[in-house]
Amino acid sequence: GRAFSSWWQACRMVAIGIDVVRADGGLVHVRPIRGGDREALLALNARVSDESIYHRFFTLSRHTADAYVDRLLRPVSSEHLALVALAGAELVGVAAFERLSATTAEIALLVDDNDQREGIGTILIEHLASAAGHIGIRHFVADVLAGNDAVLRMVRDLGFIVVSELD
C-alpha cells in the first residue's frame, strides 16, 4: 500500500548509499545489503572476535554466524531490511530488522571489532529506524546480553527504553 511505497522511496534514496561521518572523522558508506555481499559478510564473521560473535549470536559458533548470512541476504521487503556499512571497500558492519508485528521489529547488529566505538552501530540503527518508521514500525526489540555495555549504552543514547529480564 501507500506506507510500503513511502518506505520504498526512502530505501531507494539509500539504495545508492549515503556517506556518513564516523566518530573518528572518517567516512562510512551505508546502503542496503546486496546479494553480492555474501563473501564480505562471511569475511566480517571471520574477522570479529569470539566475544563479538558471542554478544551477537549468544554462542561461540562461527557456523551459526555464517548460516545467518542467508537470512540477511533475503530480498528487501516490509518484513525485512538489512543495511551494511563500508569503510572504503571493506564491509565493517551490518544491521537488520525482522518485523514481528504491525508496529514492532526485532533488530540485530554486528560491527567489526576494529571499527567499534566509532558510531557505526548507531548510524546503522538510526537508518534502520528511519526506514522502519515509513512502514509503521514504532518499536524495536533486541536481545542483548547484560555484559554488552557498549550496545546497551548505544540503545539508551538513541532514546530506546531498556527493559531487563533474567533468563
Side-chain angles (χ1 to χ4, degrees):
R2 189 185 347 242
F4 183 77
S5 177
S6 172
W7 174 76
W8 185 245
Q9 290 300 325
C11 284
R12 282 185 57 202
M13 189 172 72
V14 175
I16 58 170
I18 297 172
D19 290 328
V20 184
V21 178
R22 304 166 18 150
D24 67 358
L27 289 180
V28 65
H29 187 74
V30 176
R31 64 163 171 77
I33 204 164
R34 298 177 184 153
D37 290 330
R38 170 180 279 287
E39 293 306 315
L41 290 163
L42 293 172
L44 174 64
N45 288 344
R47 278 194 319 273
V48 299
S49 65
D50 288 345
E51 181 181 23
S52 289
I53 290 291
Y54 185 72
H55 280 161
R56 169 59 193 89
F57 296 100
F58 306 153
T59 179
L60 291 175
S61 169
R62 301 279 170 165
H63 174 75
T64 299
D66 290 348
Y68 183 67
V69 168
D70 290 331
R71 289 191 53 81
L72 289 172
L73 291 171
R74 293 188 335 265
V76 170
S77 73
S78 62
E79 303 298 309
H80 161 81
L81 174 64
L83 299 175
V84 296
L86 299 124
E90 187 171 55
L91 195 150
V92 296
V94 59
F97 77 69
E98 302 289 337
R99 186 188 285 268
L100 299 175
S101 71
T103 60
T104 304
E106 182 175 21
I107 58 170
L109 172 69
L110 181 64
V111 175
D112 191 322
D113 291 24
N114 294 327
D115 294 283
Q116 291 177 7
R117 293 171 187 71
E118 295 297 339
I120 293 171
T122 301
I123 290 165
L124 287 167
I125 298 301
E126 285 175 332
H127 285 279
L128 269 183
S130 176
H134 285 283
I135 55 168
I137 294 173
R138 302 286 177 251
H139 308 282
F140 279 151
V141 297
D143 290 328
V144 180
L145 293 172
N148 194 346
D149 295 329
V151 169
L152 291 171
R153 187 172 37 258
M154 176 194 70
V155 167
R156 284 187 185 101
D157 289 350
L158 285 169
F160 294 111
I161 298 169
V162 175
V163 177
S164 299
E165 296 178 10
L166 296 176
D167 281 340

